[in-house]
Amino acid sequence: MTDTATVPSDPREHEALWRALGTVQDPEIRRPITELDMVESARVDDAGVAHVGILLTIVGCPAANAIEAAVRAAASGVEGVGAVELTVGVMTPAQRQALTERLRGDRGTREMPFGPGTLTRVFAVTSGKGGVGKSTITANLAAAFAARGLRVGIVDADVHGFSIPGLLGVGENAPEAVRPTRLDNMILPPVAHGIKLISIGMFLDDPRAAVAWRGPMLHRTINQFLTDVYFGDLDVLLLDLPPGTGDIAISIGQLLPNAEVVVVTTPQPAAAEVAERSGTLAVQTGQRIAGVIENMAGLVQPDGSVLDLFGSGGGALVAERLSTIAKRPVPVLASVPLSVELRTGGDAGVPVVIADPESSASRAILSAADALLAGGRSLAGVKLGLSPR
């Protein structure tokens, strides 16, 4: 590695270089590399050459190329620097352990950070049955929150039917396989479109393989995603639940009783009856129903008329019934029309709220995101980390 004992000819050059390196963030942890002790040395010699030594978290770090390019760009921008010599090493086990302890902070080694005491808004997106576009809605809601400048994460809790990686462009059809980084017993999630995400599909050698797990294994997987994955400080965490009222929905109710539930349905009255059940389970487990999103609503024709391909009124019907069950008003957050752009965005891995924010589907989803944020939540019983003097 670079000789850290060499004293720069001008200390101001050294300080300027460190400030520049402080603008480089680890793409997975999303914090400056200078805060993570990933910069081993940094100096500028008399010839104007910046000598920088960085430490990657692990051998084969997937973010290595991005970090190296960012470091070179930052160092080259320092006044008086004409060239950059970069040396790359890997953290020792002791350094990695110190990093994981720093990231976990006061939480200890294996504590789930999104329980009732969290300041993170937790939304569990559910549906009564499959095929209603629940995962597409989840991915686009996350992108909408991120577009508002929020720190967002997604847990793909639909273990048997995972699809979030593909919808966000990091699935099996991505140019390069995207895998989480294991940092000792901590997992660093990939980032796509500004969203941190984790899915069982990222751990399978063959993403097309069936995941044939029963209740206890499913519970352990979701618990590990919530405990061992380092999301950092999130403003919003979304969980894409499997359809129905099975093991995972019950586990989420137990692990995250503070989660706010978003029920996705189609306009068809028969589908509304099924969707009602997922909301009923949320009430039974003590969760709050944040609202209903009606997907696949009327398709606008070239002449301006609307084709109600899947009927109409299902979203309002679900909201009305759940309002009675919850004994409080449950709103229809949005009615998302059938949209070719919404479908093609999912296939391409670019949410429609990013690819075409002015489309009718995007406007509906963005309005739903704003409604969820405006709803707020009570801080009663939440520990704010304050103590009297």
Side-chain angles (χ1 to χ4, degrees), residues 233-285:
D233 293 326
L234 294 181
D235 296 303
V236 178
L237 175 69
L238 294 106
L239 297 102
D240 182 35
L241 270 61
T245 56
D247 292 315
I248 290 181
I250 296 171
S251 291
I252 294 298
Q254 295 171 341
L255 294 169
L256 299 170
N258 54 301
E260 303 171 68
V261 174
V262 177
V263 179
V264 179
T265 186
T266 61
Q268 185 180 4
E273 293 179 5
V274 180
E276 179 186 342
R277 298 170 194 161
S278 60
T280 300
L281 177 63
V283 174
Q284 291 174 346
T285 56

Side-chain angles (χ1 to χ4, degrees), residues 125-145:
V125 185
T126 185
S127 66
K129 64 176 185 176
V132 301
K134 167 186 55 62
S135 297
T136 298
I137 293 296
T138 303
N140 276 274
L141 281 176
F145 289 136

Side-chain angles (χ1 to χ4, degrees), residues 328-389:
R328 50 169 292 276
V330 173
V332 177
L333 299 167
S335 182
V336 182
L338 276 169
S339 166
V340 174
E341 294 83 7
L342 182 62
R343 192 269 303 166
T344 56
D347 290 340
V350 182
V352 70
V353 297
I354 297 174
D356 188 3
E358 295 302 319
S359 71
S360 56
S362 292
R363 290 197 298 270
I365 295 170
L366 289 166
S367 69
D370 289 338
L372 288 171
L373 293 176
R377 73 180 180 92
S378 172
L379 294 179
V382 176
K383 296 181 180 180
L384 301 180
L386 304 176
S387 59
R389 291 181 178 273

Side-chain angles (χ1 to χ4, degrees), residues 283-324:
V283 174
Q284 291 174 346
T285 56
Q287 295 170 315
R288 175 180 177 271
I289 303 176
V292 175
I293 294 180
E294 183 183 72
N295 193 28
M296 303 182 190
L299 175 65
V300 179
Q301 303 296 291
D303 63 359
S305 62
V306 177
L307 175 62
D308 291 319
L309 192 62
F310 293 101
S312 62
L317 182 59
V318 173
E320 179 183 356
R321 291 176 175 175
L322 291 180
S323 295
T324 300

